[in-house]
Amino acid sequence: MKIAVILVRGTVNVTKTIKDTLTMLKLSRKNTCVVVENTPTTMGMIKKAKDYITWGEISEDTFKELVAKRGQEWQGRTQDSKKKYSYKTLEVAGKKYKPFFRLNPPSKGFGRKGIKMPFKLGGALGPRADKINDLIMRML
């Protein structure tokens, strides 16, 4: 099961630990999306940065459309010259893509209460479950 994570708020005046967590998730700019596996490690990182991101379970159709419309093909090499480090890429249908997607701001906005309130209360932050697919489609 894959989870889509979207950075909703900017990273100015964020504590170093949360900024490091967002860097490990490859979320460096607003409206950036990554698709990660649902493991205890990634869920711990998501819970730590919960006040800046929104996440949910992504469907296969939405994932294919996300890769088709916003996937940037990986142009560089996959290992350094000494074969010590391998760069993380997203492999879909034999092609290599960058592991993140840059999206537009959503049409009709994130929610009526804005980006500082949780999703349960009408805002944009926190877990969305299946509603993340609707948000991604509005951001493509």
Side-chain angles (χ1 to χ4, degrees):
M1 178 172 78
K2 294 187 179 195
I3 293 179
V5 183
I6 300 174
L7 183 63
V8 175
R9 299 176 71 182
T11 57
V12 177
N13 294 335
V14 177
T15 60
K16 184 170 178 6
T17 56
I18 293 176
K19 201 175 262 194
D20 290 344
T21 304
L22 291 172
T23 305
M24 284 185 252
L25 283 170
K26 303 238 184 301
L27 295 170
S28 57
R29 299 174 170 204
K30 259 174 72 167
N31 298 327
T32 303
C33 174
V34 293
V35 178
V36 294
E37 290 294 326
N38 187 4
T39 62
T41 308
T42 54
M43 284 312 292
M45 289 167 41
I46 288 170
K47 291 279 194 293
K48 186 168 196 171
K50 69 181 173 13
D51 295 331
Y52 299 92
I53 59 177
T54 185
W55 69 93
E57 191 177 324
I58 188 169
S59 70
E60 198 62 41
D61 299 334
T62 308
F63 180 66
K64 284 179 183 169
E65 194 155 345
L66 182 68
V67 170
K69 284 191 176 176
R70 288 290 172 169
Q72 294 176 319
E73 212 165 320
W74 182 267
Q75 297 293 328
R77 56 186 181 204
T78 54
Q79 283 189 328
D80 64 340
S81 59
K82 296 189 175 160
K83 307 266 191 268
K84 284 189 175 178
Y85 183 77
S86 61
Y87 302 105
K88 301 276 189 280
T89 58
L90 187 69
E91 200 158 327
V92 178
K95 284 188 175 179
K96 293 185 177 175
Y97 294 96
K98 290 184 180 178
F100 57 87
F101 305 97
R102 293 193 182 127
L103 303 174
N104 293 320
S107 60
K108 301 183 182 158
F110 278 106
R112 60 186 174 82
K113 294 227 178 152
I115 61 170
K116 294 182 180 178
M117 295 290 285
F119 183 69
K120 284 192 278 189
L121 301 178
L125 301 173
R128 288 181 178 251
D130 297 335
K131 301 233 167 58
I132 194 81
N133 296 314
D134 176 49
L135 178 69
I136 290 173
M137 295 312 281
R138 288 190 290 136
M139 293 178 88
L140 285 179

